[in-house]
Amino acid sequence: IQSELQAVGLASLAFSGKRVETSVGSVTKLGLQPDSYRYEVSTKPDKFQGANFDWVNHKLTLSNSKSSETLDLPDGAQDFLSFMYQFMFLLFLKNSK
């Protein structure tokens, strides 16, 4: 899933550049399962934010341009973008039984 947002008009005075969110993953029997997530602003590529989901080892690695941190990964975790679409897959999977 990819989402792009660019301010126009007066908003462009405060928010320059295109904001891009990307979520890569799979559709499973439980809905969307993200493998990686990235958020960046085109005018500031060095200021990205990202997440890597290690489902095998149940670890979540959060990173940005300055640091990285690994945490426990709870079952069913979502990133900001896949979270907004998860409900559609859950409804579809529920109705297909």
Side-chain angles (χ1 to χ4, degrees), residues 9-91:
L10 289 175
S12 65
L13 297 174
F15 302 103
S16 64
K18 185 186 301 185
R19 280 129 175 89
V20 179
E21 284 183 88
T22 305
S23 178
V24 177
S26 304
V27 178
T28 71
K29 65 182 179 178
L30 300 174
L32 296 176
Q33 185 179 52
D35 292 324
S36 66
Y37 170 80
R38 186 170 173 100
Y39 173 85
E40 58 191 320
V41 178
S42 63
T43 57
K44 300 176 183 176
D46 58 322
K47 301 215 183 241
F48 74 91
Q49 295 178 0
N52 287 308
F53 297 77
D54 181 350
W55 296 102
V56 173
N57 297 306
H58 301 282
K59 294 293 178 186
L60 173 65
T61 303
L62 302 173
S63 58
N64 61 39
S65 57
K66 296 181 182 177
S67 66
S68 178
E69 178 181 13
T70 300
L71 309 166
D72 290 332
L73 177 60
D75 290 338
Q78 298 290 316
D79 58 59
F80 291 116
L81 193 54
S82 64
F83 171 77
M84 293 190 290
Y85 292 87
Q86 176 71 335
F87 77 95
M88 292 186 295
F89 287 91
L90 293 178
L91 288 173

